[in-house]
Amino acid sequence: MTWLLGICTFWLLMVIVLAQKNFNVLSTRKTFNVVPAQNFNQRTGLKTDCLGSYMRLTVDKSLAFGNQIEFDAVNGSQIEPLTPSLAAKCGFSIDPDPWGNYKVFASLLNCFAGNEDDTVFDVGMRVRVRGVKAEHDIFEVEKTCNYGQWAPREVLCARNYMEVSVNRLPEEITALRRQLKLPRAKKFDQWDNTVTEAITSRYNIWRLVFFTPKQKAMVLEDALRTGYSITTTRSRLVLRSGYDMPEIYVENVNGVPMKIIRVTTYFKKQWSVTMLDTVAACPTGGLSFTDEMITWNFPRFNPLMSSRETNLLEMFMGIDGKQIDSLQMAARGYVLTIVDDLIIMKMPIGGPDGFYKSHVVNNQYHITYDIEPMLELLWSDGGMDSTRYKVLFPIKTPFMPRPPHFVDFTDVDQRVFDVLLGPFLYDVELVNITFSTGVLTVAEANARGINMQEQRFENGSKAFRLQVPFTDSFVRTQVDLVVRVYTLRLIYGFMILPEYTPFSYTSSVDVTLQDVILPTVSGTCDEEQFHIVISFGNMGKNSIMIGMHDMTPDRRAEYGVKENDTHMSLAVPFLASDVAFELMYVSSLRARIDVLLWEPTNKWTLCDFSLACNFPMTMTDGSYNHFYVEEDYPVVKYLRSPLFFEVALLQSTDPQIELVLENCWATLKEDRNSTSRWDLIVDGCVNLADRYETVFHPVAPNSVPYPSHVKHFEIQMFTFVQNDVVLQDQIFVHCDAMLCDESDGICKRHCPSPMPLKTGKKVRRETTNVQSQRVQLSSRKILLLVGFDSES
């Protein structure tokens, strides 16, 4: 007994076995939309084709339009939803693509088909479109296919099941008819009736034996409950199985894994037992890939063949279940050939019969290519019975990384970033872009003035072009005093349809330009004010210091600041606290204003400007002619009221001697060495850390006999506080004075500018080792009066 097509009959009496006529006729039923049998229905998007031993139904995505598509099998009043298990059992294969197109393959021997004499088959289906609100559009499909060229054995390997059908008429009956040459109707009617009951009904199947490869027997009812389909037609036995049934086993055939089902079916009647062997073997592998080509290897000799003497009669290639000829193969770059013991099919990746699909792996963009080739073979075993063999073999390539290219077309002259990202497949949509300070959808970006456009290419791919002006707030700018660097940081947010799979792509582009214009300061004076004009340049508005203080809102109001996008102007009175006095004359005062522009992040000095002018001023400073006497102490002053001090060298008539104030300070207690102290004069110069600086007043040449023996200075009344609490409402002022020989010039002190220098370095006070006399002086108690002096 071989594993091919075999019929063994144990004769008890002479029994001639003939096939029963078995067919179903579609009954009349209510129809919503009936698709024409031959042509594509443009209105519904449905098309049917008879392709040998199966019918193909094509459903265009326009029918679904985002809705859910479901299919039913129909036979008269019998309507069954095609679940995955029922489809595999009954001979239906449903192949959707990601965009809603469907291909449905229905075997002509499926469980629901109407069958007339194994030559005319009526296939009925129903397409249901499920809407969002659970409403249905129903389209009924009927197709009549003629197929009478059955081989003694036909094997179909679909994507979800394998099917084998064999001719079950004993060869002896056919041979006897040929020998007798008698009309069938006249001589064999009595035998026909007998044989009909003997073998044609499926209920005459006694048992089935599966070979896994060990033998495993089942009665028919158990096999049907397990999920197998076993039916008989007028002349054929049909066995159908899914690929994951327990009785199926895997065998490696010449390097190609194949799933195999082997069954012997026993028919039993009163006078005889008939056995039919059925076997199907379907490939599950044999693929290899390069970047450009798919190669599918199929064994030249497979388990369905009796020996290596098998004669291969026909070999065809097809796509989506339909044969293509040699001219079509050559035009598309397909190759089908036999090399040694392998049948080899080659298909270029990207051909028109397949499709690309986008995927995401670890947030990286990948693609696959899908195609469903068909291999159809016809062979005979030693000149005896022939086998027609078809494989519908869906192929998906492994994930192929396709990182997009980021191309910079930035036009420096136009001062616009211009970048292109791509290519992507047509199923990729740009959802949003994350900039340095925010996220915008494509619509929001375009509404803002950013140009975001999708560009499509002839091969169906696309890219995304983005244009952003340098002046946009999303562009980050960094200045290095010589050049300006414009930086555009981007995170593209994508979505792959129809799965709505998100992924992102991060990129950045920099442009360096020598376009820095530093800010400048200019100024003039009138009789009362300094008039300052600041030009911002193109570095934006930087920090401004007037004198030793930042330009606060209060100072902006005090100095009447006016500004626009490019300039600022202000007027500073010459008696303002931020003005430094350089020289005082009887009729005028020489004052100086210092303006510093600096960049706070990098602490760059951008402009250091000073303007000195003489302002008319009539001196009265009787000044320093009236002194406090013993009875006036303690002196009582309001907060910030002026206190005038004179230090004089008495009983000396040497004009070469100069009195120099080395250090002056204030204390809480009369003890000049007490710890609570505040410096007023340090190394002969004002204390730069004092917000209310000490002011030196010149000594008028004719006011005293020896002006070099006298020093005048002024402070504002203050008090010591700790944690906003006044420690004591009194102060004492102390000084260290030094006597020097004026002719040597060694007592001269060079006080620093109150403004920070461009280098940002600290400046030392220059002193000289002087051979001199030092004296110590202290004032009497000065008390703080609660309240504010109206003159202060």
Side-chain angles (χ1 to χ4, degrees), residues 579-592:
V579 175
F581 298 147
E582 292 185 339
L583 291 174
M584 185 173 292
Y585 306 100
V586 175
S587 60
S588 66
L589 175 69
R590 184 171 180 81
R592 187 186 76 247

Side-chain angles (χ1 to χ4, degrees), residues 71-88:
F71 297 93
D72 299 328
V74 178
N75 185 346
S77 60
Q78 183 182 8
I79 301 175
E80 292 291 339
L82 282 177
T83 63
S85 59
L86 182 64

